Amino acid sequence: MNSALIARLRDDLAAARYGVETLTALWGVEADAGLFRGQRVPALRGLENSVAPAARLARAFVLGLAVERGALEAALPSLGVDGAIELGLVELVEGSSDAAPVLRPLLDLRPYSFVDAHGASEFTIASDLGELALGHAIPPHHVLGVGGASMTLSGLMIDEPVDSVLDLGTGCGIQALHAARHARRVVATDISQRALDLAALNAQLNGIDSIEFRLGSLFEPVAGERFDQIVSNPPFVITPRVDGVPAYEYRDGGLVGDALVAQVVQDAAEHLAPGGVAQLLGNWEYRGGVDAFDRLDGWLDGTGLDAWIVEREVQSVEQYAETWIRDGGTRSGTAEFDRLYGAWLDDFAARGVTRVGFGYMTLRMPERGSPTLRRLERLDGPLGNDSHGSHIAATLRAHDWLTTVGEEGLADARLTLAGDVTEERHYWPGDEHPTVMTLRQGGGFARSLPLDTAVAALVGACDGELSIRAIAGAIAELLDVDGGALLEELLPSVRELVLAGVLLSPAE
Ligand SMILES: C[S@@+](CC[C@H](N)C(=O)[O-])C[C@H]1O[C@@H](n2cnc3c(N)ncnc32)[C@H](O)[C@@H]1O
């Protein structure tokens, strides 16, 4: 890794204002959306008449187009073309004329913006060129840039200060870079040396020096070590293990079915410090009519971990096969697509798999004693807009508070209604009383919770002044029912609302 050259590249990118705002100003929001869909024509048209350094850089390193030496030299004045060749950013196109040499980009290099606990910021991320820039299917050793799953995990990442974070399967290093913003030290591992090299380039390019990169499979590079936080977007894609089906390193860990995800879940227990949290993405199979949650329970049993699993999506095996064959760059309607499709269906049939779930896993090593949290749920609606990491951390704290407070303590607690909650009422036309009442959470996991009259009245009265017991007593009088019985009936709902972040404990 040539640190001096990377520093010069960093200076050039800063001078060119090579950032999301600059590029969007050049090509417009529709071009941004087009690129997300894998279409580059709108972006290309937006850059057509610009000689701005950022436009020249984007043409080469986002759209993957060859660039004349003079134009690249102008865009990278400090690094220079020779430096760019040495860094592996470009190579000379063979046969281009000596008078006007042309260079071909070898890497994707693009700005990426985000918001975390420290506010809005950007990284510049180098990765391998994608299918769009290459013009053909990506090779098996492709190092992925920041994709949808990467952003899902980074958006879920708890970003409260910790000492150590492990990013397992770091790829271009995106999760490690995020983690470095709230951790004193980060260890990033991958089975691919090329991924680690790119991740190290990205760390330096973004001025981060607290990440240690280690080569090896799964937890091998951190044997015997424990971390305060583990994050992993592991290679969870289920792929048939037969000749002729390509295995892409970035998405496929080489085990049968969902065994790799099961292994990461089970091995995480040995690498979490007390109180440490692992946040993972994963796929899981529904086999032979058995609910996948039963299988997930089986993975978790005996680990000693608290677990909160949110299933976001379930696909039929047919949809799943189509998604991942297309992701590998094989177009539907071709004989190759049909051959791979058959292999996927054979593989699923061999294990009796009918559907595949996708979701988020939050695992925690209890500070002491046995696990107290085992929550597996399905939430397939859009998420709220605020920080999901903060929401996950608050949910874990709410769970702990509920565990310690007991029934009597909960009844005596003075809870507050969260600021992002609204109530919806639906009426039959002309009716005085609502037929359906629902609480809607604006942030967090944007839950929608059904209400009855008593719970609606209770939620509305939670202003931190009155205890749940006092509120239940007042509601019982209004409804002319027994106060003790109503309190008993309401407490499970109160628990659920505290865990969901709708009612805030005094600790929040
Ligand atoms: C889906 S990518 C995630 C990359 C990045 N962390 C992100 O969030 O975008 C999975 C990564 O795991 C790596 N990988 C594959 N098999 C692995 C293994 N057995 N052990 C560790 N990493 C592995 C791949 O090389 C790839 O970089």
Side-chain angles (χ1 to χ4, degrees):
M1 190 68 46
N2 190 324
S3 299
L5 291 182
I6 298 172
R8 285 194 220 157
L9 172 61
R10 197 175 168 201
D11 290 346
D12 285 337
L13 297 176
R17 297 183 161 279
Y18 191 60
V20 170
E21 206 178 306
T22 306
L23 297 190
T24 304
L26 281 165
W27 59 39
V29 286
E30 285 308 324
D32 274 330
L35 285 172
F36 198 71
R37 296 191 302 271
Q39 304 299 329
R40 67 179 169 191
V41 173
L44 191 53
R45 289 166 74 102
L47 300 182
E48 228 156 32
N49 300 316
S50 178
V51 293
R56 289 177 157 158
L57 292 171
R59 257 196 299 266
F61 299 113
V62 176
L63 305 184
L65 300 171
V67 53
E68 283 182 5
R69 186 180 180 106
L72 189 63
E73 198 75 57
L76 296 172
S78 164
L79 178 65
V81 169
D82 292 338
I85 292 174
E86 204 179 323
L87 263 186
L89 284 178
V90 290
E91 68 178 2
L92 202 60
V93 174
E94 266 182 51
S96 66
S97 86
D98 288 348
V102 172
L103 295 126
R104 175 189 300 121
L106 295 175
L107 286 181
D108 185 295
L109 186 67
R110 67 177 74 195
Y112 149 82
S113 63
F114 57 89
V115 180
D116 66 9
H118 304 279
S121 194
E122 284 198 19
F123 292 138
T124 309
I125 299 293
S127 64
D128 275 334
L129 290 169
E131 202 184 320
L132 187 66
L134 291 173
H136 56 77
I138 52 180
H141 299 298
H142 177 82
V143 177
L144 200 65
V146 179
S150 325
M151 289 192 278
T152 297
L153 182 61
S154 61
L156 294 170
M157 195 186 296
I158 297 175
D159 51 10
E160 296 175 353
V162 287
D163 185 65
S164 58
V165 176
L166 167 66
D167 173 20
L168 189 147
T170 197
C172 67
I174 184 62
Q175 311 301 341
L177 298 190
H178 276 290
R181 288 169 61 84
H182 66 267
R184 189 181 65 80
R185 70 184 184 95
V186 178
V187 175
T189 67
D190 208 287
I191 205 167
S192 152
Q193 183 59 52
R194 178 167 169 70
L196 292 178
D197 290 345
L198 282 173
L201 165 72
N202 286 328
Q204 207 195 322
L205 203 51
N206 292 285
I208 292 170
D209 62 5
S210 52
I211 307 175
E212 190 189 327
F213 298 96
R214 298 190 199 167
L215 182 68
S217 182
L218 298 177
F219 290 96
E220 274 168 21
V222 293
E225 290 176 60
R226 290 187 184 266
F227 297 84
D228 298 320
Q229 193 175 12
I230 298 175
V231 289
S232 185
N233 170 12
F236 56 74
V237 176
I238 298 163
T239 308
R241 303 286 155 218
V242 291
D243 287 345
V245 174
Y248 297 101
E249 214 163 39
Y250 71 89
R251 68 179 210 193
D252 171 7
L255 299 187
V256 172
D258 52 19
L260 183 126
V261 180
Q263 197 172 329
V264 174
V265 168
Q266 288 166 332
D267 291 353
E270 278 177 32
H271 298 279
L272 281 173
V277 175
Q279 297 184 269
L280 319 169
L281 301 183
N283 270 150
W284 35 84
E285 295 182 333
Y286 284 72
R287 292 185 185 165
V290 177
D291 191 325
F293 282 6
D294 294 342
R295 300 189 56 244
L296 288 169
D297 269 327
W299 297 354
L300 293 163
D301 287 345
T303 60
L305 293 172
D306 282 329
W308 175 25
I309 296 184
V310 176
E311 184 176 75
R312 294 284 294 153
E313 191 186 349
V314 181
Q315 287 187 314
S316 67
V317 290
E318 290 80 6
Q319 288 170 312
Y320 190 87
E322 290 162 25
T323 303
W324 292 108
I325 297 167
R326 256 190 247 114
D327 174 83
T330 307
R331 299 218 161 80
S332 57
T334 60
E336 178 62 358
F337 189 95
D338 291 354
R339 185 184 68 77
L340 291 171
Y341 205 157
W344 243 277
L345 295 186
D346 285 347
D347 177 58
F348 282 131
R351 292 184 300 283
V353 181
T354 50
R355 294 184 299 151
V356 179
F358 163 82
Y360 321 147
M361 296 185 266
T362 305
L363 312 174
R364 183 177 61 166
M365 179 60 72
E367 289 278 359
R368 64 192 76 77
S370 308
T372 54
L373 174 64
R374 176 73 70 89
R375 186 176 170 95
L376 285 73
E377 58 182 328
R378 302 188 160 90
L379 282 176
D380 57 6
L383 300 186
N385 289 327
D386 59 352
S387 157
H388 304 132
S390 310
H391 177 69
I392 291 173
T395 304
L396 293 176
R397 279 195 297 273
H399 166 79
D400 293 342
W401 180 77
L402 287 167
T403 308
T404 52
V405 80
E407 289 298 282
E408 286 300 304
L410 184 60
D412 289 330
R414 293 170 165 77
L415 306 180
T416 324
L417 181 60
D420 62 344
V421 178
T422 52
E423 186 187 285
E424 277 178 11
R425 293 178 176 228
H426 298 264
Y427 297 81
W428 282 115
D431 256 14
E432 189 187 340
H433 299 290
T435 45
V436 179
M437 290 189 289
T438 311
L439 277 187
R440 292 230 180 261
Q441 186 177 37
F445 283 179
R447 288 172 194 268
S448 174
L449 300 150
L451 284 178
D452 62 24
T453 310
V455 179
L458 177 133
V459 166
C462 281
D463 60 359
E465 296 289 320
L466 293 170
S467 69
I468 295 297
R469 192 188 304 280
I471 297 171
I475 299 170
E477 263 185 43
L478 281 175
L479 299 179
D480 198 18
V481 296
D482 178 70
L486 183 67
L487 177 64
E488 210 172 301
E489 197 185 307
L490 284 171
L491 283 180
S493 301
V494 173
R495 274 184 179 279
E496 223 15 70
L497 292 168
V498 170
L499 204 55
V502 167
L503 292 179
L504 305 179
S505 76
E508 280 301 312

